[in-house]
Amino acid sequence: MNRSGTLQKVDLWYDWPKGRNFNIIQTQLGKLTYDLEWNNGTSFVFTSGADGDSCRVLHFDVGILRPNWLDGANYLGRRYFDGFLCNVWEKADFIWYYEDVDSKRPVFWAFYT
């Protein structure tokens, strides 16, 4: 679920050595959104469909997440989330990260502002 409360399925490909991150986002009953992010901070967000194509170019001052982005995070312990036993971290007073204990894969992110 995203910040607006709508259901989404997100497939993520993360390639730190080549400096790119690719998300394919499917909203329930909606278009596919493709989000290609580069380490230089440039992102291309595009959709394609019967009712037209769109592309936006965005720039963020930080590029994609570094592999060591959790360095300095506060470990909050283990909690269950959506049926997964997770390690939970909090970083920078606004990011909570849930990771599956067994596979080490992301289960949930929460950004608080």
Side-chain angles (χ1 to χ4, degrees), residues 7-104:
L7 292 175
Q8 292 182 324
K9 176 183 173 241
V10 178
D11 290 313
L12 167 67
W13 284 268
Y14 175 77
D15 185 0
W16 175 255
K18 293 187 179 173
R20 59 191 176 185
N21 190 51
F22 186 56
N23 296 282
I24 300 175
I25 305 160
Q26 175 67 59
T27 57
Q28 190 174 26
L29 303 176
K31 286 186 183 182
L32 281 174
T33 299
Y34 303 92
D35 177 11
L36 180 59
E37 303 167 350
W38 293 93
N39 207 25
N40 67 2
T42 303
S43 289
F44 299 93
V45 180
F46 53 97
T47 61
S48 181
D51 53 340
D53 301 336
S54 70
C55 182
R56 291 180 316 191
V57 179
L58 307 171
H59 185 79
F60 299 97
D61 290 334
V62 296
I64 64 174
L65 284 178
R66 297 177 181 278
N68 63 349
W69 76 275
L70 277 175
D71 287 358
N74 298 315
Y75 182 68
L76 302 177
R78 290 183 172 183
R79 298 184 186 158
Y80 280 93
F81 189 89
D82 278 351
F84 293 92
L85 179 60
C86 298
N87 291 310
V88 182
W89 285 272
E90 176 271 328
K91 176 134 187 195
D93 295 327
F94 78 97
I95 301 170
W96 284 44
Y97 175 69
Y98 293 70
E99 164 194 87
D100 179 61
V101 167
D102 294 326
S103 69
K104 306 295 186 220

